[in-house]
Amino acid sequence: MESKDGGSAAESCGQSKSGLNRFTLLCALLASTNSILLGYDIGVMSGAAMLIKENLKISSVQEEVLVGTLNIFSLIGSLASGKTSDFIGRRYTIVLAASTFLVGALFMGLAPSFHFILAGRIVAGIGVGIALMIAPLYTAELSPAMKRGFLTSLPEVFITLGILLGYVVNYSLTGLPLNVGWRLMLGLAAVPAVAIALGVIAMPESPRWLAMKGRVDEAKKVLLKISSNPDEAELRLREITKAASFVIGPTGSPTSAHVATAEDWAGQGVWKELLIRPSWPVRRMLISAIGINFFMQASGNDAVIYYLPEVFKAAGIKRKKQLFGVNVIMGLSKSSFVLISALYLDKFGRRPLILLGSLGMAVSLFSMGLGSKFLGESSRKPAWAIVLCVVAACADVSFFSIGLGPITWVYSSEIFPMRLRAQGSSLAISVNRLVSGVVSLSFLSISNKITFGGMFFVLGGVMVVATLFFYVFMPETKGKSLEEMETLFQDSSSNINNNNCNKDTELELVSVTGD
């Protein structure tokens, strides 16, 4: 399995023949469960917002503020999570995310007024921001190269399952009194938060974080658990310690000079390397990561899910049971396609799926715009236009689940070098949360000015631009180890469609640069 260099291609090629380690899968599942918190909030808030508006007599602007606040304040959690995870470790950052969301969920469930709900959503938003960064990052750092696409897309699978769970809860609790129904919907989010915090007990720390802190013996123990065999664990350890800039002796321990420095390291100097004096590969990584996160939310996916009951209500579907029933159908469609994408991501690669998903979203959004335009201008609400809107909405979220949904988390967490990974990912995901908040806060207001149909046409145009961006800026990362990414981004013309194990000359460059 080991190449003459003992480098990263050996890991990539060797792991393609070995199965997925069960303990690695368990850890990835536990970490990714954190993402169910955001999904549940998106799903349940699409119905709870209508009930809160009716019960507390709030305005449409207040409804927008209520929905968008969580996304805006998740920006704080995302920004803080990079430095935090470099300081306290990936494992305890997951606990911090779940605990923060738990406090916010209790605030929302017990809220006596609009302002208390708002306070709860602010706290929960910070927890969501931390969770969105740390879950895919932790999973990527545990995963073997040939299975990383599948494992790192699990956060999106759990977001989707959370959305579906929120829809089902909405549908189930619709018959309760108004003042009880929405409180139960929001308060039930505390249950998965407690389960996640307890589940972390079974999870090891990231071996790459341990190596950066000079705890190589602990990193080796973790690698032995998450690798298919001892040889694979040894290869991964050598590669990781090279990337962490350690000098490895014959016993596999770093020299004492590096240990003292490593123990004190907590991400110092990363922002300067990312933003002030980035190298050419780092600049390309940053553009790609920020771009994919920007377009993920500029597509309007979160806002469409949050406000779809309002869209269908305007389309002529009036009964709450019917509105929430359509949401359940959409959630089932979204869940099915995200599972398909996760299973085939490592087979087909990132680029083909994200290009397919983006083009499909553009067509679906234009179709929703067409149907909404006819419904808005017709007093009789033709059945074909309602059906077109429902089908196009299901297609939109399905294509999102094929491409942008899972691949954004995979790409953001895998492309940065080890020293920049946590804070680079947190910066990119902060852009994600900022754009999500802006779109959620303005979706209804803009739609009132240009109609829902006009809004969907605008979003369709955004997805056309997004497709062009992905085609130009996103090289294929399938099958590459995390330590190969800097070489991959060095030259876009030679690497844009490279799906094979690196050549010997590339391996020598990786060995010299050490990530």
Side-chain angles (χ1 to χ4, degrees):
M1 183 167 66
E2 187 173 358
S3 73
K4 65 182 180 181
D5 299 289
S8 54
E11 179 188 349
S12 298
C13 295
Q15 285 171 358
S16 66
K17 298 176 183 178
S18 54
L20 177 60
N21 181 286
R22 290 182 181 178
F23 185 66
T24 306
L25 178 60
L26 173 63
C27 294
L29 287 169
L30 287 172
S32 301
T33 306
N34 232 344
S35 301
I36 206 170
L37 303 175
L38 174 62
Y40 180 80
D41 182 83
I42 293 173
V44 85
M45 200 61 190
S46 67
M50 289 177 60
L51 303 181
I52 292 169
K53 184 177 181 180
E54 190 175 340
N55 182 220
L56 300 183
K57 312 299 181 188
I58 62 175
S59 66
S60 294
V61 173
Q62 287 177 305
E63 182 185 4
E64 281 183 320
V65 169
L66 207 57
V67 170
T69 297
L70 183 137
N71 294 319
I72 289 292
F73 279 87
S74 65
L75 169 67
I76 297 173
S78 296
L79 276 174
S81 60
K83 189 80 170 178
T84 302
S85 69
D86 279 340
F87 184 66
I88 67 173
R90 315 315 195 206
R91 187 167 172 254
Y92 288 114
T93 305
I94 293 173
V95 177
L96 178 63
S99 303
T100 307
F101 189 88
L102 171 63
V103 174
L106 292 175
F107 255 91
M108 289 188 286
L110 301 173
S113 66
F114 170 79
H115 295 96
F116 272 85
I117 306 173
L118 200 59
R121 291 189 69 72
I122 289 171
V123 176
I126 294 171
V128 162
I130 299 170
L132 285 177
M133 192 288 291
I134 196 60
L137 179 75
Y138 174 85
T139 305
E141 292 192 338
L142 252 66
S143 304
M146 299 307 293
K147 299 293 183 182
R148 192 177 60 247
F150 166 65
L151 293 174
T152 315
S153 64
L154 288 176
E156 179 63 22
V157 174
F158 277 92
I159 288 175
T160 304
L161 292 175
I163 291 171
L164 178 58
L165 180 61
Y167 289 159
V168 171
V169 169
N170 279 345
Y171 186 82
S172 303
L173 302 181
T174 304
L176 294 176
L178 276 180
N179 64 330
V180 176
W182 64 262
R183 285 185 171 88
L184 268 179
M185 291 174 183
L186 298 178
L188 283 173
V191 177
V194 172
I196 292 161
L198 294 175
V200 172
I201 297 170
M203 295 162 54
E205 183 52 84
S206 161
R208 286 174 167 89
W209 182 81
L210 290 170
M212 285 192 295
K213 301 296 283 186
R215 294 155 62 178
V216 177
D217 289 339
E218 292 178 58
K220 185 173 183 178
K221 289 178 183 176
V222 174
L223 285 167
L224 286 170
K225 288 183 179 180
I226 64 174
S227 300
S228 297
N229 54 64
D231 289 339
E232 181 189 311
E234 188 63 36
L235 281 173
R236 293 175 73 179
L237 180 66
R238 285 182 178 277
E239 190 169 74
I240 288 169
T241 46
K242 280 181 186 179
S245 300
F246 292 133
V247 179
I248 303 301
T251 61
S253 300
T255 62
S256 58
H258 286 87
V259 174
T261 303
E263 286 176 345
D264 297 331
W265 188 85
Q268 298 92 328
V270 169
W271 287 107
K272 182 185 292 185
E273 191 173 352
L274 277 172
L275 299 175
I276 299 175
R277 279 181 264 183
S279 63
W280 167 240
V282 170
R283 185 181 292 114
R284 284 197 64 222
M285 292 170 184
L286 200 59
I287 291 170
S288 298
I290 288 177
I292 193 172
N293 276 277
F294 171 84
F295 284 114
M296 181 189 195
Q297 297 303 339
S299 70
N301 181 75
D302 281 6
V304 167
I305 293 173
Y306 275 129
Y307 296 118
L308 207 57
E310 297 283 352
V311 176
F312 288 144
K313 195 174 178 182
I317 303 174
K318 300 296 183 182
R319 292 176 57 194
K320 291 189 182 72
K321 277 280 186 182
Q322 289 178 328
L323 289 170
F324 297 157
V326 171
N327 271 1
V328 171
I329 294 170
M330 191 175 69
L332 288 169
S333 175
K334 185 175 173 66
S335 300
S336 302
F337 279 93
V338 77
L339 284 170
I340 292 170
S341 178
L343 290 170
Y344 287 97
L345 195 52
D346 287 313
K347 180 177 180 180
F348 295 118
R350 285 55 158 161
R351 274 175 63 84
L353 289 180
I354 200 166
L355 291 173
L356 170 64
S358 301
L359 281 173
M361 286 182 71
V363 173
S364 301
L365 287 164
F366 285 135
S367 299
M368 285 178 72
L370 182 65
S372 297
K373 271 290 184 186
F374 271 97
L375 289 168
E377 294 171 2
S378 172
S379 57
R380 291 193 294 178
K381 310 293 183 187
W384 69 265
I386 295 175
V387 171
L388 176 62
C389 284
V390 172
V391 172
C394 289
D396 178 53
V397 297
S398 298
F399 279 115
F400 178 87
S401 295
I402 289 172
L404 267 174
I407 295 172
T408 298
W409 310 122
V410 174
Y411 218 74
S412 301
S413 62
E414 72 180 0
I415 62 174
F416 290 103
M418 187 190 297
R419 65 190 179 277
L420 309 178
R421 189 170 298 130
Q423 295 184 55
S425 296
S426 75
L427 178 61
I429 292 170
S430 297
V431 172
N432 180 303
R433 303 325 300 158
L434 176 62
V435 178
S436 177
V438 170
V439 173
S440 298
L441 281 167
S442 59
F443 185 87
L444 284 181
S445 298
I446 296 175
S447 296
N448 288 336
K449 297 288 185 184
I450 65 172
T451 73
F452 283 121
M455 188 66 176
F456 291 133
F457 281 129
V458 170
L459 295 176
V462 168
M463 289 315 300
V464 171
V465 176
T467 305
L468 295 174
F469 175 88
F470 301 145
Y471 183 81
V472 173
F473 286 101
M474 284 183 58
E476 182 57 74
T477 58
K478 182 186 80 170
K480 305 293 183 184
S481 74
L482 296 180
E483 285 67 39
E484 289 180 281
M485 293 300 172
E486 201 160 359
T487 303
L488 179 65
F489 276 83
Q490 184 75 45
D491 183 359
S492 60
S493 62
S494 63
N495 287 306
I496 194 75
N497 284 311
N498 186 3
N499 294 323
N500 302 316
C501 299
N502 274 358
K503 297 177 183 178
D504 288 339
T505 53
E506 293 173 320
L507 277 170
E508 290 167 5
L509 180 58
V510 172
S511 299
V512 172
T513 59
D515 198 22

